[in-house]
Structures are given as C-alpha cells and as structure tokens.
Amino acid sequence: MYRKVNVPFELYEIQILTASDEELARISEEMGLALNVDEMKRIKEYFRSKGRNPYDIELQSLAQAWSEHCCYKSSKYYLRQYLLEAAEADYVISAIKEDAGVVEFDDEYAYVTAFESHNHPSAIEPYGGAATGIGGILRDVLCMGAQPIALIDPLFFGNLDTPYEGLPKGTKHPLYLLKGVVAGIRDYGNRVGIPTVAGMVFFDDSYLTNCLVNVGCVGIVKKDKITHSRAGGPGDLFVLAGGKTGRDGIHGVTFASAELDEKSEEEARGAVQLGNPIMKEPLIHACLEVVEKGLLTGMKDLGGGGLSCVIGEMALAAGYGAEVYLDKVPLKEEGMAPWEIWISESQERMMLTVRPEHIDEVLYIFQKWDVPATVVGKVIPEKITRIYYKGYKIYEMDTEFVTAGPEYCRPYISKKPEKELHEEIEPPADYVKVFMKMLSHPNVAFRDWIVRQYDHEVRGSTVLKPLQGRMNYETHGDAAVIKPTKSFKGLAITADVNPWMCKIDPYWGAASSFDEMVRNLVAVNAIPHSFNDCLNFGNPEKPERMGEFVECVKAIGWMAKGTAIPCVSGNVSFYNETPYGAVAPTPSLLGIGVVEDVRKAITSDFKGNGIVILVGETEKEFGGSLYSVVMGQRCHRVPRTSPERLKAYTDAMLESFKKFEVMACHDISMGGLAVAVAEMSFGRGVGFEAARELSFIELFSESNTRWVVELKAEDAESYVEFFKNRGLKAEVIGYSEGEMLNFKTFAIGLGEADKAWRRGMSEYLV
Amino acid sequence: MERDEIRVAVLRMEGTNCEDETVKAFRSVGVEAESVHVKQFYSDMIRFEEQRSIFDYHCLVFPGGFSAGDYIRAGAIFSARVKSALRKDIEEFIKMGYPILGICNGFQVLVELGALPGFDEDRPVSDKPEMALAINDSSRFECRPTLLKKESKKCVFTRKVNKNTVMFPVAHAEGKVTFPSGKEDEYVERLLSNDQIVFRYVDDKGNYAGYPWNPNGSYFNIAGICNATHTVFGLMPHPERAFFGYQVGKREGYGDGYCIFRSVIDYLEKL
C-alpha cells in the first residue's frame, strides 16, 4: 500500500487507487489520519480524476483540513441553523469568518476577541497544554493586527477530594491537573505580559477523566490597521515568522478530534506542543510594528494543522493559490520528513503575506527583534497549492478540494428532564450547617490561590480587578474592566457557564449561562456588547451527546437574538469523552461589555451603612443548584429565563445606575441570594441584617435575572419605585451593617462564614 | 535642565513587558520618554536612525517583566548583556549624577548588575552582585496590592512623596530581598546609615508585618533600596500601576505612584 519514492529524502506514494475499503481504513489508522472510510473514498475519487496516487504529505494535509477541529464537520450544520444569525449587529466588523471576532469600540478603535479550548493537550500534559493554549489564543488576536490586552481562562476539573485509589487508569488527579494548568497559564501569560483578568474554575466528577481548559483573549486595534487572514494578490510573498518548526505538535488536531483513553498518554505526548513565551513576546512587538507601518497584505497564525492549514486558507480566501518551498522552513531538528514539516504545530509561528517591495523592511524589523522570519512561498493566480522540496514537486492539489471539508447532519436525541427526573426539594433541617457547606464548596469558595498567581495588572490598564474590597481580604468581582485606549471608555470581561444546570437540562442550562454572563456585565455597569462561545461536548457520533450540543446551541442562539447581543467568534470542542464518560455539556461563554466611563464601574463589596435591595423575580428553581447538590436532593427544574425579561431588567439596571448612586452590585448565581449577599459582605467585612424573614426558596433558589444592589438609605424608596414603574420587581431585603450575616431565618457570625469561604478551595492546595 | 529637554529611556529586550505603561507615566509628567531596545545601544545590524547612546538620555529605566524569560536567576541575562556591552557607560552615567530606576524585574537587573546596593561611589557597578531577590516565601507568584512606608529622605525618586505610606501593587515570584547569609544585619546597618532603604512593607495600621503584607518574606521588610549616591533606585512594587487614579479605584487625580516619577523629574530639572 505504501511505495517509497526514489528521492533523496523520505517520501511515500500511498496506493489508494487500488485499495479496498478495508485497506483504506487501515491506511487512515496506520498514518494517524482519523478519517473515516467515506472520507477516504472521497479522496480516492479525487486522485482517480487526477490519474495518480497521493503522496503521504497530501493525505496528511487532507487529514488536518478535514478534522473535526479544523472544519467543524459535526457542528457546522447546527451552528448555521441556530447561531449564525445571532452574529449580526451593525457594530460588528467581522464575525465568525476569521480567527477572532472584530467589533467596533469607538470611532477610532475596534476590539478583537477569541475563545477556544485546549482540552486534550491539557489532560495529557497540563502545564504545556495550558501554556500553549494561551499562546494560541494570543496569536488568534494578534493576527487581526490587534494588541492583546487581556486573557481569560475558564477551567473545569474533577472533584478535588477524589481519592487517588479511585482514579481510572491513565487519569491524572484533579489536583495535579489544576496545579499544572494554573502554572502553565501563569508562566506563559505573566511572561508574555498580558494580564489574566477573568475566568472561572469549576469542579465536577464528569471532568475527572477529561478536564477542560478554555482560553480567551481580548485585543484592541485601530480600525484602519485591522489585518485579515488573506493574501493581497499574486506575487505576494509568504513570510514565516517566529519559532522554528519541529516534531512537537504533530497530529494535534487529529488527536483533539477523537476520544482520549488510557493509552493516550504514551501515544499522544508528541501531539502536545511546546510553548516559548520569550519568543512570543518579541513576535507580538514585531508583528504589531509591521502592521503599524502598513507593510503587510495579510496575517494569520499557525495553529491546528500548522503550515498545511494556513497557507492554503490565506491564498484561497483571496481567491488565489500558493507555491511553497518547504525546504526553506527553519527546523528545530534534522531528518524531518516533508509531511512532518507541513503539518507540525510547533508554537510561536505567524504567517505574513508581503508585497515584494516591502520584504526587506519586514525582514529588518524581525531581525531587530531577534525573531526569525523567512520567505517560504508566494501567491499564484490559479487556485492550486504546490509544494517543492529540494527541487522536487511533492504536492499538488486544488485548494478548494482541500479546504472543502465534509459536513455532517448528525442524528441527535434531546433530553426531556421533566420526564426523566422528579422533584424532591425540601427546606434544610439545619440552615447554618447547609449554608456553611455551600460557602466552603470549592465551586463557590474564594479563588485567590489562583487569581493572585496571574498578573492581572500588567499593562497598567486593569481598572476593575478580579478581586475587590479591602486590601488582602477581598471578594470576587463580577467582571473585570479594562481601559484599552486613552479615553475613559472601557471593556468589561466575564466568563460564565453553569455545567450542573447544563447536565440536567442542556437547553435551560445554556440559557441560564447566557443570563449569568449578561448579569455579570451589567453588575459592573457595562452595556452587554458581544460574546464568544467555546462549546465543549462529548462524542458527537453519539446521538445523546449531539442532542446536548444542539439544545445548548439552540438556547444560546435564542437568547442572543432576543437580546441583540451578537456572537462574534467561537470554537467547538467535541470528543471530550473517555470510556468512563463524557463531560457535562459545557458551553463556556466569554461576555464583553462596554463601559461608558471606567470611573463609574461598580464593585461588588458592601461599603456599609446602606440599604440592600433585591432586583428580580425569585421562583422555586433548584435544578442544577448548589443547594440541591449540597443537600443531595434531585430537581429537574433548571431556572428559566427569557431574552425579553433579561433585556427589560438589563435596561432598567443600567438606567438606574445613571439615576442613583449605587454603592455596590453583585449578580445572584450559584448558591442563590444567601451566597451573593455573603460574598458582598466578605469584601470589606460589612455584615448583613435582613429586613424580614427570608424563606429557603428566597435564600437558595438560583432563579435567573437577579441582582443585589446596595444604596444609600435615602435612595432606597425611589429606587424600588423606579423598577415598579417599569413593571419590574425590586424589594428592600435588608441593611449592610453589623458583624453578622443575619437572614432572620438563620444567622451566623461574619468571621466564621468568611473563614469557611476563604478556605473552601485553597485548603486542598497548600 | 528644562523639563521639555529631559529625555528618558525605558530599556527593553525580549521578555520585558512593562515598558509601555512606564513610558506613559513619564510622558504624563511632561518629559520625552521612549522604549529603547538594548541592541540599539550596541548592535551593528541597527540602522543609523535607530542607533542610540546612553548619553542621549538623562534617566534610564529597567522596566518590569521577565527579561529573557528569567529561566535562570531573574534579571541575570539582561544584566549580563548590559554589563558586557555598556558597563563603562553606565558607570559614567551614574557618576555624572543621572538617575536610574529599576522596577520589579528591573530591580532584579540592577542587583544582578551590581548597581545596587551600590555602596562604592567610585565603582558604582560592582564586579559581583552583593544581594539577591530570592523566590517568595509562599513559593508562588504574588499579584497583590502592598503598602509601603517611605524611609529615605535622600533618594531622588521619593523626595516629593509627602505621604508616610503609599500603595503600589506587586506582581512577582522572586522578590525576597536576601543578603549574604550571616551578614544580614551588617548590610541593613550599612544601608540605614547611608539612608539607602527607601521603602519597607507595612500593614494597614502602618506596622512592619508578615505575609501577606510583606508579600515575599523580604529581610527587614525591604521593598526598595537606592545606592550610596541616592540616584539609582530599585523596588519590587510597581509605581507605574498606581500612577493614575483610575488604576487604584479613584475617580479623579493620580495614584501614589505619580510622586515617584514627579520626584525624579524635579531632581533633573534642578540638575
């Protein structure tokens, strides 16, 4: 089936024209292509029409381009149906089409966002996997010509108290993974000098064999400097800039497009790339300098699939083809076969297209920054990609055939939680005990062990930090606020998803996650402006998993369209599944809000001597709630929401911030009102006295679209009136004062509660 | 010197990453400031119009970051590059009374370079480092606000600091001021007698305190020191991150960091 070609380097002809279906499957398996027989047959047909067999490099190239990771073959159909329409708004400059979304910030600037997963590599090698995740997302933003200004990292692990003896074979302990991932993000993000300002960490058994590492990045670019991922025209030179190419990260995308198992460790180590932030840091400067000087026609980062994906896509996006001289690519090691060079995912590389008259200037700038840059090819008029290696032509395919990956409309089965589960929510026998359990739950407890290891202030533009309140004893903020330009306009950034809710009811869980994202932005006085989604699911070939995906996408599309908040970029990660099970459906959302004046951003800590008001409507909605988990009570009713209601409350809240001097605001999410109030108290050591007895439903239900607001006493009445006049609900529930958390139903000393909350997660980590 | 004549260079190489905000802080007090790659001082490949001499400037700044990745001791590679190519120039620069500032990684660079503690006025860059910034006691990177008590009257970077205590954030993994074992008190004595201890970590009541107020376990709670001539100053906390009011939760005006930049410009204006 394989014939060595008589050339002075390693090259094989793969005899697929004569291969049977079984042999095609074997070829795919043996070459690590992860293509199925139908896909292999399509390739066979193509080469039959060309009258020849493919070379190894051509098959490998197709395997990259047609992987789930690169071409979204399982998700595209449903994304188009439910989500693409939600990408529209008149201020969106570029959505979905490129590596990052581009949205208008003001007359002069646009902001750029990207969000993706780095799950499989992080499960195998947490430090390197997470670090290169940060590296990759920075490049996605950089390739639009933008200066990265913030990093975001939602993380998902198995429970920290998992006994070591109970670990499935080949699985690493969640503590090891958490520490490794945080160290990877820390050492890369801090070194490269971009602040990590937001994120989340969530523990659930479903992530035990498959942790999730999502990484987001926000950048800022002058509108007239936005650079696109396409070449200018024939004759443009392809310049490969940055790190050298090695054998690290070969088959990264095909590895990411299959389930992990106990053998993945030994088989896939080589698929994990190695990061080098000290190559990235000057690479960013050099790229931005050539952008600023207007020396490029296009730029794209090398991510999944390496050179094989970037060159064809850049040429074809402009309506052309490419000629590549593969032996010009600077290598880390000798003896690499051409196909390895072509698909390697070595890090810290960018592809630029440059008019020949600008090439000397571009190469000088890179040399000045000590960043290697090499001409490796040129744009040609016909839509063909050709590769030469040491004078031999080793690759010639129609670019459109390579990039037109398959698309599947996979069958799915939707969950019907109300039929499968039953309600059994009861009030607690011992309120204090239950409340303490909730506060110390690792999904709620203080995150400073993680947050302080990330430099969240480098660049000097972080106005609202992730931790807020008195020095060294802060509380969690709802969203970080960055001031990206000279003006006082800012960007609010948050990352949210509620996997417990999504597990019970993917539709309402995803809708609730969207609601939470919007609430967090509103809480800091930001206008919700756009969002990205990173959709993490199990094996899409299983109809139940596909059902979870479709329900989540439907819900997000519905909420986005109804609230007119556009989805500008995103990523789908399937196959987060092992023989031990799949991850909870995890549609992570990265929300961006615009803050009209950063000096008016609102913090979450009680300032004291104020009136505390609950805005929103509370129902008995405990599905996926912290209360139900802590109590071990089952409940199918995941909190409902609607875009109309969310929009009405959002508008009213933002209007109220203009009319009233709001001292503090916090959204109500996991743990309900009681936990929200407690977090506000912890920030400055200011207690809470309820105005009346609050029921367990009022205290612990996680109904959507609710906030807690602190105001001066004299404003309280007119504030409540303001909402009532709009047909919305707001109520005085207590006072920010004293040294107790007194809900009338029960009370506990603030110090005791504070201690439980601060230690809940970190006690596992020291 | 007139204020608009003053030129400040913020030195950069691969891995330095606080140069933009540091340049911005200097420009905001009305002087000319730019980021300069160290290669611009000595490399042949740099074009004429981008070549620079240290004596084009009146103040040098080593900014925060992770120069060359800090994979060996923090600041070691940056200082080695500077020392091999520019030692004579730097010594002359210091002797002429021109100020040098090192923030965070820049402090580490000045220590590795031997410019701090800089006891010998005649040899302002010592052959070997005399102290170190060791790994934090917590063994972790620490990004948190700190309170600093001003201790020096003479340091040219703090003469206009008229508050007892200032707030600057820290963000580092290696910031623990460490002196040669057994000679700690001797060093502290010497620094004290020369008025070289500039900032010490304190708690919210103004007392010298342990973690987290002293975020790294520094000996004698030292956060920043200057050399014997009081013109070379290094500190772990970041004044450029507390320069504008909006960086520290104030609606208007400046943060405490402003006075650091204002002080050195004031000194240069009188030079």
Side-chain angles (χ1 to χ4, degrees):
Chain A
M1 289 188 293
Y2 310 98
R3 185 182 72 82
K4 191 168 182 334
V5 183
N6 187 21
V7 288
F9 50 87
E10 193 188 316
L11 183 71
Y12 285 88
E13 179 191 309
I14 315 301
Q15 292 164 324
I16 61 170
L17 295 187
T18 51
S20 66
D21 286 3
E22 291 76 45
E23 286 168 328
L24 288 175
R26 235 176 75 205
I27 290 170
S28 173
E29 167 84 29
E30 287 174 358
M31 291 179 69
L33 303 179
L35 294 171
N36 66 29
V37 173
D38 288 338
E39 290 160 352
M40 289 295 286
K41 277 159 87 175
R42 213 173 124 193
I43 296 171
K44 182 172 159 181
E45 283 315 305
Y46 175 79
F47 280 97
R48 176 164 293 150
S49 75
K50 298 284 168 191
R52 66 175 177 97
N53 275 311
Y55 293 123
D56 50 8
I57 185 173
E58 291 171 313
L59 271 187
Q60 290 286 0
S61 189
L62 287 165
Q64 308 305 307
W66 292 9
S67 67
E68 186 69 60
H69 184 93
C70 288
C71 81
Y72 293 83
K73 57 192 170 190
S74 301
S75 58
K76 220 174 352 186
Y77 176 83
Y78 297 105
L79 290 174
R80 198 167 42 229
Q81 194 170 352
Y82 297 114
L83 210 48
L84 283 195
E85 236 179 88
E88 288 158 16
D90 53 5
Y91 53 83
V92 173
I93 295 170
S94 171
I96 312 293
K97 293 186 288 288
E98 296 184 78
D99 292 25
V102 185
V103 184
E104 183 173 272
F105 178 64
D106 58 18
D107 289 342
E108 197 182 354
Y109 288 93
Y111 67 85
V112 176
T113 55
F115 194 28
E116 67 182 19
S117 61
H118 228 234
N119 303 336
H120 280 42
S122 303
I124 297 291
E125 211 281 83
Y127 183 87
T132 51
I134 296 288
I137 206 71
L138 282 165
R139 289 195 304 278
D140 285 336
V141 165
L142 177 62
C143 77
M144 305 308 296
Q147 165 71 52
I149 54 170
L151 292 165
I152 302 92
D153 62 342
L155 312 173
F156 307 83
F157 302 99
N159 288 315
L160 290 177
D161 57 2
T162 304
Y164 279 86
E165 55 274 22
L167 281 179
K169 208 174 159 211
T171 300
K172 296 179 177 68
H173 194 274
L175 265 176
Y176 172 82
L177 291 171
L178 169 67
K179 287 180 176 175
V181 165
V182 169
I185 294 169
R186 174 195 70 201
D187 286 356
Y188 200 104
N190 293 358
R191 279 198 168 89
V192 81
I194 309 302
T196 301
V197 299
M200 58 179 286
V201 57
F202 193 95
F203 303 100
D204 181 72
D205 219 26
S206 72
Y207 302 113
L208 184 64
T209 55
N210 230 309
C211 68
L212 301 182
V213 173
N214 293 174
V215 285
C217 182
V218 180
I220 193 91
V221 60
K222 279 191 186 146
K223 282 187 203 163
D224 60 354
K225 299 292 181 201
I226 294 170
T227 309
H228 292 286
S229 309
R230 57 174 179 261
D236 277 15
L237 300 172
F238 282 105
V239 176
L240 177 62
K244 290 182 179 176
T245 301
R247 283 205 172 94
D248 53 314
I250 286 186
H251 285 151
V253 298
T254 46
F255 149 68
S257 304
E259 289 186 22
L260 291 179
D261 59 33
E262 60 185 65
K263 287 188 300 210
S264 298
E265 163 85 38
E266 41 189 304
E267 288 170 357
R269 272 268 172 180
V272 181
Q273 310 88 344
L274 310 166
N276 178 3
I278 300 306
M279 173 59 76
K280 177 64 62 55
E281 200 267 346
L283 178 64
I284 293 174
H285 292 304
C287 287
L288 293 178
E289 187 172 335
V290 292
V291 166
E292 182 60 35
K293 292 188 170 150
L295 300 171
L296 303 183
T297 55
M299 178 157 62
K300 190 169 168 62
D301 81 300
L302 277 80
L307 287 165
S308 78
C309 285
V310 74
I311 289 189
E313 284 176 23
M314 279 185 87
L316 189 66
Y320 307 109
E323 204 167 89
V324 182
Y325 323 111
L326 204 55
D327 43 352
K328 299 274 191 244
V329 174
L331 300 181
K332 285 183 187 170
E333 53 201 301
E334 283 180 26
M336 284 178 74
W339 70 266
E340 291 178 305
I341 302 170
W342 187 234
I343 70 165
S344 161
E345 294 174 18
S346 287
Q347 291 290 292
E348 329 307 357
R349 299 182 299 164
M350 298 290 283
M351 185 62 72
L352 325 174
T353 52
V354 181
R355 299 293 315 154
E357 58 267 32
H358 291 141
I359 193 71
D360 289 343
E361 184 68 21
V362 168
L363 295 180
Y364 166 73
I365 289 169
F366 279 89
Q367 198 192 348
K368 193 173 70 183
W369 288 101
D370 292 317
V371 173
T374 319
V375 176
V376 296
K378 69 173 184 212
V379 179
I380 58 172
E382 58 280 34
K383 294 182 190 172
I384 289 173
T385 306
R386 271 189 214 107
I387 302 178
Y388 296 91
Y389 189 78
K390 298 190 172 165
Y392 297 87
K393 184 164 84 178
I394 58 168
Y395 179 116
E396 181 172 278
M397 285 196 284
D398 295 285
T399 317
E400 278 168 331
F401 174 71
V402 179
T403 52
E407 182 180 323
Y408 300 117
C409 175
R410 295 203 188 272
Y412 69 90
I413 299 170
S414 295
K415 249 187 184 167
K416 293 274 174 279
E418 53 281 15
K419 290 195 184 131
E420 292 158 20
L421 296 160
H422 54 102
E423 288 277 339
E424 49 185 32
I425 290 292
E426 298 290 336
D430 183 340
Y431 276 87
V432 171
K433 202 169 143 196
V434 168
F435 182 56
M436 291 293 273
K437 259 191 180 170
M438 291 169 76
L439 286 179
S440 59
H441 194 286
N443 283 353
V444 168
F446 197 33
R447 261 84 186 106
D448 75 329
W449 188 90
I450 296 175
V451 175
R452 292 208 188 285
Q453 294 199 57
Y454 302 148
D455 191 340
H456 47 258
E457 294 197 65
V458 59
R459 298 186 57 72
S461 304
T462 313
V463 176
L464 219 55
K465 333 271 185 222
L467 302 177
Q468 300 164 6
R470 70 202 146 145
M471 195 182 290
N472 287 328
Y473 297 94
E474 298 89 341
T475 188
H476 297 147
D478 290 274
V481 174
I482 300 273
K483 177 181 169 301
T485 67
K486 281 200 181 99
S487 87
F488 279 104
K489 199 169 179 176
L491 288 173
I493 301 170
T494 182
D496 302 282
V497 61
N498 189 318
W500 282 342
M501 291 184 185
C502 292
K503 189 153 57 169
I504 292 175
D505 189 331
Y507 186 88
W508 289 111
S512 294
S513 302
F514 189 94
D515 193 289
E516 185 180 351
M517 170 190 86
V518 171
R519 293 197 306 266
N520 278 325
L521 296 173
V522 169
V524 300
N525 196 7
I527 304 159
H529 205 245
S530 72
F531 76 100
N532 290 18
D533 55 359
C534 180
L535 307 168
N536 308 273
F537 292 84
N539 184 344
E541 295 156 41
K542 297 179 183 170
E544 295 80 12
R545 304 280 171 265
M546 205 57 209
E548 294 171 348
F549 174 76
V550 172
E551 291 295 314
C552 283
V553 169
K554 252 193 218 175
I556 294 168
W558 175 63
M559 292 297 285
K561 268 179 269 181
T563 51
I565 303 170
C567 174
V568 296
S569 183
N571 162 254
V572 180
S573 169
F574 281 127
Y575 299 99
N576 294 294
E577 184 155 359
T578 64
Y580 297 92
V583 295
T586 310
S588 304
L589 303 174
L590 167 60
I592 305 291
V594 165
V595 182
E596 289 297 343
D597 184 338
V598 294
R599 293 166 295 187
K600 292 182 180 158
I602 296 169
T603 49
S604 63
D605 50 309
F606 279 146
K607 309 301 181 291
N609 298 317
I611 301 280
V612 179
I613 291 172
L614 165 67
V615 175
E617 298 152 32
T618 309
E619 306 285 337
K620 189 181 177 185
E621 294 175 310
F622 282 93
S625 66
L626 176 64
Y627 180 81
S628 68
V629 169
V630 165
M631 296 293 286
Q633 297 178 348
R634 278 184 298 179
C635 177
H636 67 71
R637 191 171 169 89
V638 167
R640 301 303 198 248
T641 181
S642 80
E644 294 74 26
R645 186 182 74 173
L646 181 60
K647 186 95 178 64
Y649 273 97
T650 296
D651 291 349
M653 284 292 284
L654 293 172
E655 186 65 26
S656 81
F657 295 155
K658 286 189 186 139
K659 286 203 151 73
F660 299 89
E661 180 84 4
V662 169
M663 294 152 70
C665 180
H666 193 28
D667 93 297
I668 299 178
S669 50
M670 191 177 295
L673 174 68
V675 167
V677 163
E679 285 187 332
M680 297 177 84
S681 284
F682 296 151
R684 219 168 265 273
V686 172
F688 172 77
E689 286 288 327
R692 62 175 175 83
E693 201 167 290
L694 295 162
S695 74
F696 89 100
I697 293 173
E698 288 175 302
L699 286 169
F700 303 129
S701 165
E702 296 183 14
S703 289
N704 283 308
T705 328
R706 295 184 303 156
W707 294 265
V708 179
V709 176
E710 184 195 26
L711 287 152
K712 290 206 182 80
E714 61 265 29
D715 290 336
E717 203 176 314
S718 39
Y719 195 80
V720 170
E721 210 49 40
F722 172 85
F723 280 87
K724 283 197 177 144
N725 288 341
R726 294 173 165 240
L728 305 175
K729 234 181 138 193
E731 183 201 348
V732 172
I733 53 159
Y735 314 94
S736 53
E737 61 188 33
E739 287 169 11
M740 300 283 290
L741 286 171
N742 185 359
F743 299 105
K744 291 271 164 77
T745 338
F746 75 99
I748 181 170
L750 187 56
E752 199 184 337
D754 182 276
K755 210 164 147 192
W757 177 74
R758 288 194 198 276
R759 286 172 46 180
M761 185 187 76
S762 61
E763 69 179 359
Y764 291 98
L765 291 158
V766 274
Chain B
M1 203 182 312
E2 294 295 318
R3 189 176 297 189
D4 55 10
E5 290 173 322
I6 297 172
R7 287 173 57 102
V8 178
V10 178
L11 272 55
R12 75 183 338 168
M13 65 177 285
E14 58 273 17
T16 54
N17 61 33
C18 300
E19 47 268 41
D20 289 354
E21 52 269 42
T22 309
V23 164
K24 193 172 164 188
F26 275 103
R27 286 185 183 163
S28 301
V29 291
V31 302
E32 234 183 273
E34 65 174 346
S35 301
V36 184
H37 199 291
V38 279
K39 281 172 77 179
Q40 289 176 260
F41 292 121
Y42 62 79
S43 172
D44 296 341
M45 65 76 52
I46 299 291
R47 288 180 186 163
F48 178 74
E49 67 272 17
E50 290 185 327
Q51 288 171 11
R52 297 285 185 274
S53 152
I54 283 183
F55 301 100
D56 295 340
Y57 303 96
H58 311 102
C59 176
L60 299 182
V61 183
F62 291 91
F66 287 79
S67 52
D70 282 351
Y71 291 111
I72 54 169
R73 280 189 326 282
I77 292 186
F78 197 173
S79 64
R81 264 168 94 171
V82 168
K83 206 165 193 169
S84 66
L86 302 166
R87 178 173 181 175
K88 274 205 177 118
D89 285 1
I90 297 250
E91 288 198 305
E92 173 135 18
F93 190 84
I94 296 171
K95 282 184 184 168
M96 288 164 78
Y98 289 124
I100 300 181
L101 171 63
I103 301 168
C104 194
N105 191 227
F107 184 18
Q108 295 160 341
V109 172
L110 290 174
V111 165
E112 285 289 326
L113 187 63
L116 284 175
F119 290 127
D120 186 349
E121 291 189 26
D122 299 325
R123 295 218 65 187
V125 174
S126 64
D127 288 335
K128 286 185 197 156
E130 292 197 64
M131 57 181 281
L133 291 153
I135 293 171
N136 297 348
D137 277 353
S138 68
S139 297
R140 291 195 301 272
F141 189 94
E142 297 274 351
C143 180
R144 57 169 77 243
T146 57
L147 294 172
L148 310 171
K149 189 157 172 245
K150 182 189 158 185
E151 308 269 342
S152 165
K153 289 193 169 59
K154 293 185 183 156
C155 176
V156 304
F157 287 88
T158 53
R159 288 181 187 171
K160 299 222 103 176
V161 176
N162 45 23
K163 287 167 82 176
N164 220 351
T165 308
V166 295
M167 194 290 285
F168 302 161
V170 294
H172 60 253
E174 293 168 66
K176 178 183 176 175
V177 168
T178 309
F179 299 109
S181 175
K183 293 188 178 170
E184 290 89 350
D185 293 333
E186 200 179 302
Y187 271 80
V188 167
E189 266 318 303
R190 209 165 161 194
L191 289 168
L192 283 173
S193 63
N194 282 337
D195 195 23
Q196 285 180 249
I197 297 180
V198 182
F199 283 127
R200 292 175 66 193
Y201 300 110
V202 291
D203 66 15
D204 52 353
K205 303 195 175 56
N207 303 317
Y208 304 115
Y211 185 82
W213 303 101
N214 175 349
N216 45 39
S218 271
Y219 195 76
F220 203 58
N221 278 41
I222 293 174
I225 59 168
C226 63
N227 71 344
T229 60
H230 308 103
T231 53
V232 178
F233 172 43
L235 76 170
M236 289 313 295
H238 287 269
E240 81 282 13
R241 297 185 187 180
F243 185 90
F244 298 103
Y246 64 79
Q247 294 172 310
V248 294
K250 275 166 60 177
R251 288 206 170 179
E252 280 163 17
Y254 294 101
D256 293 341
Y258 171 81
C259 294
I260 300 291
F261 300 89
R262 190 68 196 77
S263 295
V264 68
I265 298 312
D266 190 63
Y267 165 78
L268 284 168
E269 281 175 323
K270 289 174 183 157
L271 206 63

